[in-house]
Amino acid sequence: MLKLDMVGIVVKEMKAALDFYRVLGFEIPESENEALHVEVEQEGIRLAFDQLSMAKEIFGIWEEPTGHRIELAFLCESKDSLDALYKKVIDHGYVGHREPWDAFWGQRYAIVTDPDGNLISLFV
């Protein structure tokens, strides 16, 4: 049996990355700001952050990725909560990729950009 257990994100600056995910609602202690590896668990799946130096050690080499390779999509409670979260992210100075819209497939959707350039989808 194969089970998704963890999604890892390589970050250039741990505090900047963690601050962004805190705005999204993840509870991450401030004491983790200088760590090389941080994990948060949400309903049985871990979201992990690895400092670039650690990723280089793990993989043996690191090349800056280009293009959109993977999507992190977070389910919001309601359309109003999605809109409010998008506004909160933007008000904290982060980059919006696409403002909230009602997608043709029936979901309310928005996309923001984390400090490392990853596109983060919010939907309901």
Side-chain angles (χ1 to χ4, degrees):
M1 182 178 117
L2 190 65
K3 177 186 180 280
L4 179 63
D5 179 74
M6 184 181 81
V7 174
I9 302 172
V10 175
V11 302
K12 293 177 185 164
E13 184 184 334
M14 187 64 79
K15 181 182 182 318
L18 297 182
D19 284 346
F20 173 84
Y21 288 92
R22 287 178 182 119
V23 171
L24 287 185
F26 285 88
E27 293 183 19
I28 307 168
E30 296 285 330
S31 61
E32 298 288 356
N33 286 347
E34 303 303 320
L36 293 175
H37 177 84
V38 176
E39 293 182 12
V40 292
E41 196 236 322
Q42 190 179 52
E43 297 185 25
I45 296 179
R46 294 175 295 152
L47 183 58
F49 305 90
D50 287 316
Q51 188 75 270
L52 182 57
S53 61
M54 185 162 183
K56 287 179 182 176
E57 182 153 338
I58 292 168
F59 301 116
I61 189 170
W62 178 259
E63 294 179 22
E64 187 72 27
T66 59
H68 184 61
R69 295 183 176 189
I70 192 166
E71 175 185 21
L72 290 180
F74 294 100
L75 176 63
C76 299
E77 292 178 8
S78 67
K79 289 182 178 186
D80 290 340
S81 68
L82 182 150
D83 292 349
L85 180 56
Y86 181 87
K87 182 180 181 328
K88 180 180 177 184
V89 169
I90 299 309
D91 288 349
H92 275 82
Y94 298 107
V95 176
H97 184 76
R98 285 201 65 186
E99 293 182 2
W101 83 97
D102 294 319
F104 69 88
W105 58 86
Q107 291 177 320
R108 180 81 170 160
Y109 221 85
I111 305 171
V112 295
T113 306
D114 80 4
D116 292 288
N118 298 304
L119 299 179
I120 307 301
S121 296
L122 309 171
F123 73 97
V124 64

